[in-house]
């Protein structure tokens, strides 16, 4: 895992941008603390910041140039099946000077060009430059595990793993108002949009080729189509066995490392499955959990301990108080370089920071919820589609739920919040319901909040693109597909990449192995979610490997105690500084009345999602103060 950056100039003026390559690499120092390198040739500059994982010797340093001197690569990621391709290349006469996956990928690309992408089992963002044709090829992995941002002007194209690196080059810093407004619904900005008009995220499964002023961009990977009844060739029992086989191989592949390796263990099903399988292939696996002293509702360390006891792992628990969380709040805000308000990023940051003191690589259970239907919104959608008395009753009692106090920080308040959201979704179309349940607000709130410029047509186009998969199959598979396209790369993978890289830690997700994903996408929806529960296939396939206590218990994501902080420790900072009337008037992006309404709701007995909405504003204002003033 590393960081990459580069510039490809179209004009003489664009060539002046090459001088910024050193600063762009320096901005990626936390992604790559083990070394850095620069390559320049005519109109192109490439940069690399290295986190050494496979072949830690200098022979594997980047930018990496082939033996002829014609081709140069910068690569961020892992190519897990590189050994089999190395052997094939050696049989064809290729020699190697390192034992790295980078060198194998470069020679595979030289021989097969973009066709090589289909042979990579792993995650990546890379660029290869041909100094004879002066062509630059850029590609991103299938699911968006590794980021790649691109800023385009008439003088050239800059690319980088992070916005802070991209900002070292010159391009217009104009706010994408429609993307910003979208952020206040989702609490993140999904690709291809970014917070700036001039910057786009290269979409997962996409490549770009630059030659002179010619730009070509294509999608190289698409998810397999959801099955029809006639397509289903595997029964439920057989699918459990196949999932165990595929996921076991995926875990084994991800244990390849020349540096210390471990696994996150939350106490949930997904990370426990990964630990159970990893324990087959390595003795005394290092595992890491976070415990929450002040939030017993969200503390799952007792469940993690059951898995530890069964598999005899070397376990470390980081037991945190709310004060510990609060202490790292500003570290997270400082690292974020595009508004991103998933508050659980704070927990991921601390987990990564503490884990990095012991290992350089950690396995995780990321991706399982999106693939197999593990979220509460999946249960809600399934119940909505089934209809029946319970769903009708919840819908009819909408006024009751509206009247009840709602909060994420208490059991009863959270139940009322979910029932209210369910009843609200019942009155919407399937695409609109999905959009509402993915976010924290509705259109009315956004209209109340946003005072800046807004192009309604452009905003609706963004939204339509993100909802394009809803309704294509007529069953729950289209919702899961939409999560893989929207939520996974936009929120979950962004969070893990950003917070782990802030601590120079590589995170690998076996559930996102291409063979596992393609298998899961071809399964019928009721193998994943039904009246038997969420994530049905995963739960049943691995039941014999996991402690029974992990089943039939509430699923908890960690809720940072925002409500308490905003009412107390952070109150003056928020409303006296970041959201003060003077700041808001100068900025001209928000209606003061909406901020005042949120403040009143925050301090009421019915706070609802006000804390999450205020957190989105805090993150945005913190970002604005750093980047736009």
């Amino acid at each position: 895992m590393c960081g990459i950056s580069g510039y490809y100039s179209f004009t003489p003026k664009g060539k002046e941008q090459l001088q910024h390559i050193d600063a762009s690499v320096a901005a990626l120092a936390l992604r790559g603390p083990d070394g850095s390198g620069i390559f320049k040739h005519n109109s192109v500059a490439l940069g690399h910041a290295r986190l050494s994982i496979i072949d830690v010797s200098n022979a594997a340093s980047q930018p990496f140039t082939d033996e002829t001197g014609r081709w140069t690569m910068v690569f961020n990621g892992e190519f897990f099946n590189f050994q089999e391709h190395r052997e094939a290349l050696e049989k064809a006469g290729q020699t190697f000077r390192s034992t790295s996956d980078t060198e194998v990928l470069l020679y595979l690309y030289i021989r097969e060009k973009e066709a090589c992408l289909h042979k990579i089992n792993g995650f990546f963002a890379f660029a290869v430059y041909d100094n004879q044709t002066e062509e630059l090829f850029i590609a991103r992995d299938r699911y968006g595990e590794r980021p790649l941002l691109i800023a385009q002007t008439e003088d050239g194209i800059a690319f980088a793993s992070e916005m802070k690196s991209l900002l070292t080059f010159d391009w217009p810093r104009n706010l994408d108002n429609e993307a910003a407004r979208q952020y206040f619904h989702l609490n993140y900005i999904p690709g291809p949009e970014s917070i700036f008009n001039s910057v786009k995220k290269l979409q997962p499964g996409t490549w770009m080729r630059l030659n002179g002023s010619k730009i070509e961009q294509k999608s190289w990977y698409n998810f397999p189509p959801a099955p029809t009844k006639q397509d289903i060739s595997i029964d439920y029992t057989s699918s459990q066995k196949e999932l165990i086989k595929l996921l076991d191989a995926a875990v084994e592949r991800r244990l390849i490392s020349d540096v210390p390796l471990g696994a996150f263990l939350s106490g949930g099903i997904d990370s426990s499955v990964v630990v159970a399988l990893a324990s087959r292939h390595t003795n005394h696996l290092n595992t890491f959990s976070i415990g929450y002293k002040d939030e017993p509702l969200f503390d799952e360390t007792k469940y993690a301990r059951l898995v530890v006891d069964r598999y005899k792992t070397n376990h470390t628990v980081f037991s945190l108080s709310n004060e510990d969380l609060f202490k790292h709040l500003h570290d997270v805000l400082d690292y974020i370089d595009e508004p991103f308000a998933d508050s659980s990023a704070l927990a991921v940051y601390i987990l990564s920071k503490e884990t990095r003191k012991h290992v350089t690589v950690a396995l995780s259970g990321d991706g399982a919820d999106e693939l197999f239907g593990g979220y509460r919104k999946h249960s809600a959608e399934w119940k909505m589609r089934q209809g029946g008395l319970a769903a009708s009753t919840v819908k009819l009692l909408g006024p009751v739920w509206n009247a009840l106090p709602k909060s994420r920080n208490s059991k009863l308040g959270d139940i009322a919040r979910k029932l209210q959201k369910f009843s609200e979704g019942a009155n919407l179309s399937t695409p609109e319901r999905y959009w509402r349940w993915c976010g924290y607000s509705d259109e009315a709130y956004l209209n109340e909040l946003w005072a800046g410029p807004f192009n309604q047509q452009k905003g609706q186009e963004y939204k339509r693109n993100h909802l394009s998969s809803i309704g294509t199959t007529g069953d729950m598979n289209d919702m899961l597909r939409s999560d893989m396209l929207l939520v996974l790369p936009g929120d979950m993978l962004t969070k893990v990449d950003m917070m782990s890289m802030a601590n120079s830690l590589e995170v690998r997700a076996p559930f996102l192995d291409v063979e596992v994903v393609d298998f899961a996408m071809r399964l019928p929806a009721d193998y994943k979610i039904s009246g038997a529960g969420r994530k049905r296939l995963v739960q049943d396939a691995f039941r014999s490997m996991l402690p029974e206590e992990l089943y039939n218990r509430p699923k908890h994501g960690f809720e940072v105690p925002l409500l308490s902080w905003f009412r107390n420790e952070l109150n003056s900072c928020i409303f006296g500084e970041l959201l003060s009337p003077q700041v808001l008037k100068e900025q001209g992006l928000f209606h003061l009345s909406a901020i005042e309404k949120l403040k009143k709701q925050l301090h009421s007995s019915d706070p609802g999602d006000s804390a999450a909405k205020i957190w989105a504003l805090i993150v945005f204002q913190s970002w604005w103060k750093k980047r736009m003033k």
Side-chain angles (χ1 to χ4, degrees):
M1 269 280 284
C2 308
I4 63 173
S5 67
Y7 194 89
Y8 188 97
S9 55
F10 300 149
T11 67
K13 184 180 178 182
K15 281 189 178 182
E16 297 174 8
Q17 294 290 314
L18 303 188
Q19 65 182 312
H20 300 303
I21 189 68
D22 294 88
S24 76
V25 173
L28 298 171
L30 290 176
R31 295 187 75 94
D34 297 330
S36 62
I38 302 291
F39 168 85
K40 290 182 182 179
H41 181 268
N42 292 346
S43 300
V44 171
L46 302 176
H48 186 265
R50 185 184 186 193
L51 178 63
S52 302
I53 303 290
I54 296 175
D55 189 348
V56 299
S57 73
N58 290 333
S61 294
Q62 298 184 49
F64 195 100
T65 300
D66 80 308
E67 59 193 357
T68 70
R70 174 177 174 178
W71 307 86
T72 300
M73 167 182 277
V74 287
F75 170 46
N76 166 29
E78 300 290 357
F79 180 6
F80 294 118
N81 57 332
F82 76 97
Q83 288 286 11
E84 65 186 76
H85 291 290
R86 179 185 176 116
E87 291 169 9
L89 288 166
E90 285 176 330
K91 288 179 181 177
Q94 181 62 54
T95 59
F96 292 86
R97 66 177 188 267
S98 77
T99 58
S100 71
D101 54 344
T102 302
E103 187 174 11
V104 177
L105 178 56
L106 177 57
Y107 285 119
L108 195 63
Y109 174 80
I110 291 170
R111 286 173 180 260
E112 303 193 19
K113 302 303 184 289
E114 64 267 22
C116 80
L117 296 170
H118 298 280
K119 295 187 174 181
I120 305 170
N121 189 325
F123 48 77
F124 56 85
F126 70 81
V128 181
Y129 176 66
D130 178 349
N131 67 26
Q132 280 191 17
T133 63
E134 299 195 345
E135 178 179 281
L136 182 70
F137 180 83
I138 304 170
R140 191 178 179 201
D141 65 54
R142 297 169 178 85
Y143 318 122
E145 291 187 75
R146 292 299 164 258
L148 198 64
L149 298 161
I150 294 178
Q152 181 176 347
T153 69
E154 62 183 11
D155 295 309
I157 283 181
F159 66 89
S161 298
E162 293 186 5
M163 187 73 79
K164 59 179 66 68
S165 175
L166 207 60
L167 286 165
T168 63
F169 298 101
D170 294 330
W171 41 268
R173 268 64 160 171
N174 298 321
L175 196 71
D176 185 329
N177 293 285
E178 292 70 39
R181 195 172 131 129
Q182 191 169 245
Y183 159 78
F184 286 105
H185 172 63
L186 296 170
N187 278 15
Y188 60 90
I189 300 173
E193 293 82 48
S194 85
I195 193 63
F196 294 111
N197 274 319
S198 297
V199 177
K200 298 297 179 186
K201 295 157 187 165
L202 187 66
Q203 285 290 76
T206 301
W207 59 255
M208 175 182 284
R209 183 182 286 120
L210 309 174
N211 197 326
S213 59
K214 182 182 177 183
I215 304 171
E216 186 181 6
Q217 183 170 318
K218 286 188 178 181
S219 172
W220 66 268
Y221 173 82
N222 290 297
F223 291 108
T228 64
K229 288 184 179 180
Q230 292 74 27
D231 293 332
I232 299 169
S233 59
I234 185 170
D235 61 43
Y236 186 66
T237 300
S238 299
S239 69
Q240 293 177 51
K241 296 176 182 177
E242 184 67 11
L243 177 60
I244 293 171
K245 183 182 80 171
L246 293 175
L247 195 57
D248 183 64
V251 168
E252 186 177 15
R253 275 191 283 271
R254 281 156 183 78
L255 293 173
I256 300 170
S257 175
D258 292 331
V259 294
L261 177 147
F264 294 153
L265 180 57
S266 69
I269 295 291
D270 308 332
S271 63
S272 298
V273 165
V274 170
V275 167
L277 293 174
S279 296
R280 290 178 164 187
H281 304 288
T282 183
N283 294 323
H284 308 298
L285 178 71
N286 299 302
T287 53
F288 305 92
S289 299
I290 274 188
Y292 305 106
K293 295 176 183 176
D294 302 330
E295 302 290 335
L297 181 64
F298 303 107
D299 192 305
E300 298 184 320
T301 53
K302 65 179 181 181
Y303 298 107
R305 177 57 65 183
L306 294 170
V307 179
V308 168
D309 291 343
R310 175 173 289 200
Y311 291 102
K312 311 302 179 190
T313 68
N314 297 322
H315 192 55
T316 304
V317 177
F318 314 117
S319 190
L320 307 175
S321 65
N322 285 344
E323 185 179 346
D324 294 323
L325 292 165
F326 188 73
K327 187 170 64 177
H328 290 91
L329 184 64
H330 293 289
D331 294 333
V332 172
L333 288 174
D334 284 344
Y335 196 80
I336 291 171
D337 52 19
E338 174 182 76
F340 182 85
D342 183 336
S343 61
S344 65
L346 181 56
V348 177
Y349 176 89
I350 298 172
L351 177 61
S352 298
K353 184 180 182 68
E354 296 300 324
T355 298
R356 183 63 173 91
K357 294 175 182 178
H358 303 268
V359 300
T360 310
V361 178
L363 305 189
S364 81
D366 293 312
D369 286 324
E370 291 82 5
L371 268 179
F372 293 99
Y375 292 127
R376 287 191 294 254
K377 70 181 178 189
H378 298 145
S379 294
E381 179 65 23
W382 185 86
K383 290 171 183 173
M384 185 72 69
R385 295 187 184 206
Q386 300 307 304
L389 181 61
S392 299
T393 302
V394 173
K395 178 180 177 181
L396 288 170
L397 292 177
V400 175
W401 317 132
N402 288 335
L404 288 175
K406 294 169 285 296
S407 172
R408 290 175 175 267
N409 289 63
S410 71
K411 283 186 177 180
L412 291 177
D414 200 39
I415 290 171
R417 184 186 66 82
K418 293 171 190 172
L419 289 170
Q420 189 271 336
K421 204 166 183 179
F422 184 92
S423 65
E424 183 181 339
N427 295 304
L428 300 173
S429 66
T430 302
E432 288 296 333
R433 180 166 61 246
Y434 175 77
W435 187 249
R436 177 66 186 90
W437 286 352
C438 279
Y440 290 86
S441 64
D442 55 19
E443 201 70 19
Y445 167 76
L446 295 175
N447 290 334
E448 286 180 5
L449 178 71
W450 189 254
F454 178 64
N455 183 319
Q456 182 75 24
Q457 184 176 355
K458 184 179 175 184
Q460 288 300 315
E461 182 183 347
Y462 282 178
K463 181 177 172 181
R464 278 195 304 272
N465 290 339
H466 296 312
L467 296 177
S468 60
S469 290
I470 294 292
T472 56
T473 67
D475 66 18
M476 288 293 297
N477 267 322
D478 56 7
M479 188 177 191
L480 302 182
R481 179 180 295 263
S482 293
D483 275 359
M484 292 292 290
L485 292 166
L486 175 71
V487 181
L488 185 70
D491 186 358
M492 301 306 168
L493 294 178
T494 296
K495 172 178 63 184
V496 172
D497 177 84
M498 184 165 45
M499 295 298 97
S500 63
M501 284 290 92
N503 294 286
S504 308
L505 178 76
E506 175 172 292
V507 178
R508 301 174 175 179
F511 277 99
L512 294 179
D513 186 276
V514 60
E515 294 183 8
V516 175
V517 173
D518 282 4
F519 171 70
M521 299 299 284
R522 290 189 174 98
L523 294 174
D526 62 0
Y527 284 18
K528 305 164 192 176
I529 183 165
S530 70
R534 297 192 301 258
K535 216 154 41 185
R536 178 188 171 205
L537 183 65
V538 177
Q539 297 213 37
D540 288 347
F542 296 96
R543 191 175 293 272
S544 64
M545 298 185 198
L546 301 179
E548 185 59 33
E549 293 89 340
L550 269 60
Y551 291 82
N552 301 316
R553 66 183 185 87
K555 175 183 175 64
H556 289 303
F558 177 64
E559 298 288 340
V560 175
L562 297 176
L563 186 64
S564 174
W565 288 349
F566 295 169
R567 286 175 170 176
N568 300 293
E569 294 96 332
L570 284 174
N571 193 268
S572 61
C573 173
I574 298 168
F575 298 108
E577 298 176 30
L578 294 174
L579 296 178
S580 70
Q582 181 181 349
V583 167
L584 294 171
K585 285 177 183 177
E586 290 176 0
Q587 196 176 20
L589 294 178
F590 307 107
H591 292 293
L592 272 66
S593 57
I595 305 297
E596 190 61 31
K597 184 177 177 181
L598 273 177
K599 183 178 179 180
K600 288 179 180 178
Q601 186 183 2
L602 180 78
H603 290 280
S604 74
S605 61
D606 185 15
D609 276 331
S610 61
K613 292 174 180 177
I614 290 171
W615 176 242
L617 284 160
I618 291 171
V619 173
F620 185 90
Q621 295 298 79
S622 175
W623 169 83
W624 179 276
K625 190 176 179 180
K626 285 186 297 184
R627 303 298 185 197
M628 299 296 284
K629 289 193 74 173

